[in-house]
Amino acid sequence: MRLALAEAAKAAILNEVPVGACVVRNGDLLAAAHNRTITDRDPSAHAEIVALRAAAAAADNHRLVGATLYVTLEPCAMCVGAMTQARIGRLVFGAYDPKAGAAGSAIDLCNDRHFNHRYEVNGGVMQGECAAQLKAFFAERRQS
């Protein structure tokens, strides 16, 4: 999660919402990324999606079976869908997102019985640090 927080800090420098993610499998880092929606002019360039794409390229496989995705903010529905398609084994996230979180806050798509793949979800890991990073970013934007 510390690596994901460092990635989120990179996003903030680019004026992106500070969310960072990394994908690990068998103790090996496959990818680390941060939000790039503004930079790439791509609404799908959330940290999770960018990390999953890079991890799949590194693994030379679109399936990331057994991988863990660490992300500083609870994923949205789009990102949960991508994690499900990638067949990750576990999701670990920091701050909860009551407005758009799709891993239990606003909606729980990770354990939806309609999907053919489910995975372990651990939320609230380093929640204080993850939430503080986001709060500081938005407080600064409101002052500007």
Side-chain angles (χ1 to χ4, degrees), residues 97-122:
D97 185 352
K99 293 181 180 178
S105 290
I107 190 170
D108 188 359
L109 295 178
C110 297
N111 292 300
D112 192 297
R113 65 179 178 81
H114 295 96
F115 294 137
N116 62 345
H117 178 70
R118 287 177 197 76
Y119 41 89
E120 181 182 343
V121 177
N122 304 106

Side-chain angles (χ1 to χ4, degrees), residues 46-132:
H46 289 195
E48 301 94 311
I49 301 292
V50 176
L52 287 169
R53 286 177 180 158
D60 197 27
N61 193 329
H62 69 291
R63 300 287 192 221
L64 298 169
V65 175
T68 298
L69 176 85
Y70 294 86
V71 61
T72 58
L73 180 64
E74 180 181 1
C76 70
M78 174 184 67
C79 293
V80 168
M83 287 180 262
T84 301
Q85 292 300 315
R87 306 295 194 265
I88 66 160
R90 184 172 152 216
L91 164 65
V92 178
F93 68 87
Y96 287 88
D97 185 352
K99 293 181 180 178
S105 290
I107 190 170
D108 188 359
L109 295 178
C110 297
N111 292 300
D112 192 297
R113 65 179 178 81
H114 295 96
F115 294 137
N116 62 345
H117 178 70
R118 287 177 197 76
Y119 41 89
E120 181 182 343
V121 177
N122 304 106
V125 175
M126 296 180 67
Q127 180 177 354
E129 294 94 324
C130 293

